[in-house]
Amino acid sequence: MSGRGALAAAVAAVSASAALLLLLLGAALHQVPEGHLGLYYRGGALLSSLSGPGYRLMLPFVTTHRAVQTTLQTDEVKNVPCGTSGGVMIYIDRIEVVNTLAPHAVYDIVRNFTADYDKALIFNKIHHELNQFCSAHTLQEVYIELFDQIDDNLKLALQQDLNAMAPGITIQAVRVTKPKIPEVIRRNFELVETEKTKLLIVAEKQKVVEKEAETERRKALIEAEKVAQVAKIRYQQKVMETLIGQRILELEDAAFLAREKAKADAKYYAAQKAAVSNKVKLTAAYLELAKSQAIATNTKLYFGNRLPSSFFLGSCAFNCVAASSAGGDEQLLSKAGGGSLQHRGSSSTV
């Protein structure tokens, strides 16, 4: 019996030791998530050793750990009060601050501002900067006119303070929701916005009317320019047709003048040649021959010892032609075609 009791005691001791070992191992083993760094405290003092992501071991029941995020994170500040320069209290439902913490600055920032550094460096700073902005502006400016500048002003102010107090924190963006204002003031703003909208609608309608009028004016101007250009082209066409017609007439006149000149030159040349030919042809012997031929063709002959120096036969006037012979003073006059013989200057008739 004593042997069995000793064996049972030994088994119980081993079991207790194993359970204690498992308990200590469970307390010493911990996990650091990806994108975080592990910080360790011993007796409340921050240890200088840091650990990366994964399973890590620490001294159980004596050392504690805290994971600090080093990737992009978003801190939210909710229901932030803000008093304007006119004394109206408004509330901003949510302000989101997107920031990152550099791994090399984790130890110094946690040592100076604890692992909840964002409360001291971001949350409290948001309240301070927002109240500074609101107190310097009216409700109209905060709610409408300068609302789009609030996020930029907060980002700039936060980054300037962080660069001086906690280098290593970078503000990526700040998002601010629309402030909550008293209901009466909100309704007044809505009425104002409604009137502004109506005014904008009227102004847009006026712009549309002006644009339509401008379009019509431009259409009329384009149409007038088109008509003027067509008229100009037609005028130029008529001018060209007139000039071409005048040129054709000039060419026709020049051709006619050349033809008439050629004809005149030909006639002049023919007359000149005829004159030269007659000068050569009309000799005294030729003229005597022509006279004899003319006398020979007469059908009537008149004889007498005395003939007038001139006489008129019918409708033609002839000069007296005298012919002398060896035997006496006989004169001969021939007449072709008949008719009465009248003596001018003498009363005797043969």
Side-chain angles (χ1 to χ4, degrees), residues 265-275:
D265 291 342
K267 289 181 179 180
Y268 173 75
Y269 181 77
Q272 187 179 17
K273 289 299 181 179

Side-chain angles (χ1 to χ4, degrees), residues 337-350:
S340 61
L341 178 64
Q342 296 179 357
H343 176 68
R344 292 182 181 181
S346 176
S347 59
S348 61
T349 303
V350 179

Side-chain angles (χ1 to χ4, degrees), residues 197-216:
T197 303
K198 292 179 180 179
L199 182 61
L200 289 175
I201 293 173
V202 173
E204 290 299 323
K205 288 182 177 179
Q206 183 178 0
K207 289 181 180 179
V208 170
V209 173
E210 292 177 355
K211 202 67 177 178
E212 290 177 351
E214 179 68 17
T215 303
E216 294 297 329

Side-chain angles (χ1 to χ4, degrees), residues 102-216:
H104 64 82
V106 170
Y107 179 79
D108 293 333
I109 290 177
V110 171
R111 185 182 60 181
N112 294 327
F113 302 100
T114 72
D116 298 323
Y117 63 90
D118 49 358
K119 292 181 180 179
L121 297 176
I122 295 178
F123 293 0
N124 295 339
K125 190 65 177 176
I126 286 291
H127 284 269
H128 174 73
E129 292 296 335
L130 190 59
N131 278 279
Q132 290 289 328
F133 180 83
C134 291
S135 62
H137 298 89
T138 63
L139 178 61
Q140 174 76 15
E141 294 173 339
V142 174
Y143 191 69
I144 297 176
E145 296 177 1
L146 301 179
F147 176 74
D148 59 338
Q149 301 179 12
I150 293 178
D151 49 0
D152 293 332
N153 291 334
L154 286 176
K155 177 182 176 182
L156 180 62
L158 285 174
Q159 192 63 64
Q160 288 177 349
D161 288 344
L162 289 173
N163 290 339
M165 298 174 59
I169 300 177
T170 303
I171 303 298
Q172 302 293 337
V174 175
R175 296 187 291 267
V176 181
T177 59
K178 198 70 173 178
K180 293 180 180 180
I181 60 176
E183 187 65 22
V184 177
I185 298 176
R186 188 185 64 79
R187 286 197 297 268
N188 291 336
F189 273 114
E190 289 179 353
L191 291 175
V192 171
E193 289 298 321
T194 302
E195 296 300 324
K196 285 184 178 180
T197 303
K198 292 179 180 179
L199 182 61
L200 289 175
I201 293 173
V202 173
E204 290 299 323
K205 288 182 177 179
Q206 183 178 0
K207 289 181 180 179
V208 170
V209 173
E210 292 177 355
K211 202 67 177 178
E212 290 177 351
E214 179 68 17
T215 303
E216 294 297 329

